[in-house]
Amino acid sequence: MNGPYVIVGAGQAGLQIAESLRHEKYDGPITLLGAEAHAPYNRPPLSKQWLRERRSISTLYIRGPEAIQRRHIDLQLGCVVNAIDRDAQRVRCADGRSFAYGGLALATGARMRTLALPGAQLQGVHGLRTIDDAEHIIAAFERCAAQAAPVVVIGGGFIGLEVAATARKLGLEVTVLEGLERLMSRVVAPIVSEAAAQLHRSHGVRLEFGVRVTALRGVDGAVRAVHTADGQEYAAGCVIVGVGVDPEDALARAAGLDCDRGIIVDECARTADPLIVAAGDCCARRRSDGSLLRLESVQNAAEQGKSAAAALLGHARSFSAAPWFWSDQFDVKLQMVGLSAGYDQVVTRGDTVKPAFSAFYFRGAKLLAVDSLNRIPDHMVGRKLLDHGLSPSPEQAADLEFDLHRLFAAGC
């Protein structure tokens, strides 16, 4: 498809599409539309170091406005796109602006899930997705510190645990309320959940499991407590809600594009409309077996963005590398590679007490995924093994004396 190219969404995926178009020698018009007031920035630090140290916003930029301009990319900020006119090949913004396209890329990301509970709109109740969210949480933490008030985190997933760790590093009292029976239960094995729980408890985080939050109570419009179904009340100077995200696919749905928990794309980031591609957290990729896969990671946004740019230019670039992700909590780096769904055996390699170990997930004799806690070499070799379709035996994976790199030489 020919330009001009319009990209809706100025995050990791959107910027990657624009820069990949330039890398592929396209020299025509590119317009990058961002709903926020900030240039494209890295989101992972928002729950970790940046939240604790509150550095300049510019330190988060993937690429600053001047660098984007030098690539002759027209960055339009504060532009909320509310309609796609596929017949006229034009996108329309809430402020009245509109942009014609020859090829359109959707990189609209994801939106936070919120609590449909009494008191959810009280002051001091925050989610974390954007720079503005992070700045509100920083201010809330400062109020908690001044008032010696505790922080309550609802949700024991990655964001909730990272924010909990950051709050403890700032000296705040922290309680994590998790509805299921263990941390990160949807994505990691019990051995990894238990290691994370021991880590947080050792740093003074209170963990409560099997909790159903029923209401938030406020005083003078500000949150003061969290109520649960078993009659408990947890005092709170602020509440952080970390219960996941949903794909931002409403724009695509309204335009008649196929969506199912995300904008449906093929392995090359193409939608059913030959003029429209999509990439990043907003997408659900159709796999060869017909199933849909939606990934939320920097790696997926970047690689799918490259595929989307290639598709705009009429090329097929499939993205098939093993997905990987990371989370920093206190002094532990959790790195994950592969997809562990459907595993029937987990073996560990290393020291589960420190913790400094990896969990290798198998289905039968096939390696599906590796989770590593402070075992960076295991993570790197796990990525190579999965990308090459190689599997150690469970015995080899568990044996610290066995060099996993030998499998590449053997080709087995």
Side-chain angles (χ1 to χ4, degrees):
M1 64 195 84
N2 297 319
Y5 296 122
V6 173
I7 303 163
V8 180
Q12 183 84 47
L15 178 63
Q16 184 66 65
I17 294 168
E19 294 197 325
S20 292
L21 286 169
R22 289 293 184 236
H23 181 74
E24 295 298 323
K25 309 305 182 186
Y26 172 73
D27 60 2
I30 300 174
T31 302
L32 181 60
L33 306 178
E36 294 183 57
H38 309 291
Y41 60 89
N42 289 298
R43 294 186 189 275
L46 292 178
S47 57
K48 311 178 187 72
Q49 186 176 17
W50 195 85
L51 188 64
R52 187 174 75 253
E53 298 179 358
R54 197 176 188 177
R55 299 178 179 180
S56 166
I57 289 174
S58 63
T59 63
L60 292 171
Y61 288 161
I62 305 171
R63 206 81 65 217
E66 298 81 7
I68 292 173
Q69 186 178 23
R70 286 197 297 271
R71 289 166 169 78
H72 303 289
I73 297 166
D74 181 16
L75 176 62
Q76 298 280 333
L77 298 175
C79 186
V80 178
V81 176
N82 60 8
I84 302 170
D85 186 334
R86 292 167 60 187
D87 293 331
Q89 292 178 221
R90 184 173 288 274
V91 299
R92 306 186 189 282
C93 301
D95 62 5
R97 285 179 286 177
S98 69
F99 301 87
Y101 67 84
L104 175 63
L106 301 178
T108 46
R111 63 185 179 278
M112 292 183 297
R113 292 178 186 152
T114 57
L115 299 178
L117 297 172
Q121 303 305 315
L122 288 167
Q123 180 185 345
V125 180
H126 304 284
L128 178 57
R129 184 70 183 171
T130 68
I131 287 175
D132 293 344
D133 296 332
E135 292 192 315
H136 290 148
I137 291 173
I138 289 169
F141 282 177
E142 290 174 347
R143 288 193 297 271
C144 285
Q147 300 167 8
V151 175
V152 174
V153 177
I154 300 176
F158 295 116
I159 292 295
L161 294 177
E162 289 170 1
V163 173
T166 299
R168 280 301 296 146
K169 287 182 177 181
L170 291 170
L172 300 173
E173 179 185 339
V174 181
T175 297
V176 175
L177 305 179
E178 168 54 45
L180 300 177
E181 296 306 318
R182 57 188 178 87
L183 300 176
M184 304 176 290
S185 60
R186 294 181 178 86
V187 291
V188 302
I191 187 86
V192 178
S193 294
E194 182 56 29
Q198 291 296 336
L199 172 70
H200 280 262
R201 288 189 179 114
S202 72
H203 285 84
V205 177
R206 178 183 180 185
L207 303 176
E208 299 289 345
F209 296 102
V211 174
R212 182 166 68 86
V213 176
T214 55
L216 308 182
R217 180 178 62 81
V219 175
D220 296 330
V223 70
R224 288 294 178 264
V226 178
H227 290 257
T228 59
D230 59 0
Q232 296 295 310
E233 178 179 282
Y234 298 88
C238 74
V239 173
I240 309 302
V241 179
V243 293
V245 299
D246 291 312
E248 191 59 86
D249 60 2
L251 181 67
R253 287 179 181 275
L257 295 176
D258 293 338
C259 297
D260 184 352
R261 291 162 296 166
I263 305 167
I264 298 176
V265 297
D266 65 10
E267 70 279 1
C268 296
R270 298 172 293 208
T271 72
D273 186 320
L275 298 182
I276 302 177
V277 299
D281 291 1
C282 63
C283 292
R285 174 159 49 101
R286 182 78 69 185
R287 297 194 283 184
S288 58
D289 63 1
S291 65
L292 292 171
L293 175 64
R294 194 172 76 82
L295 300 172
E296 299 164 15
S297 72
V298 171
Q299 175 225 16
N300 182 67
E303 293 300 324
Q304 205 168 38
K306 294 174 185 177
S307 296
L312 288 173
L313 296 173
H315 311 309
R317 180 195 183 277
S318 62
F319 163 42
S320 59
W324 52 263
F325 177 82
W326 81 94
S327 175
D328 294 327
Q329 300 170 32
F330 295 109
D331 56 350
V332 169
K333 179 177 285 292
L334 168 60
Q335 296 169 289
M336 311 169 70
V337 61
L339 299 170
S340 62
Y343 72 88
D344 54 31
Q345 183 180 7
V346 178
V347 300
T348 60
R349 181 184 184 89
D351 187 338
T352 58
V353 176
K354 277 187 175 181
F357 73 95
S358 294
F360 286 70
Y361 297 77
F362 290 88
R363 182 169 59 233
K366 183 179 180 181
L367 179 67
L368 299 180
V370 182
D371 295 344
S372 300
L373 291 82
N374 284 353
R375 294 275 300 185
I376 294 174
D378 287 354
H379 174 72
M380 299 308 296
V381 76
R383 285 166 61 171
K384 291 179 63 178
L385 287 168
L386 290 168
D387 284 344
H388 286 80
L390 299 175
S391 295
S393 68
E395 295 76 18
Q396 289 170 334
D399 183 2
L400 283 173
E401 298 300 316
F402 181 79
D403 183 359
L404 294 171
H405 290 90
R406 288 169 54 188
L407 297 171
F408 300 109
C412 61

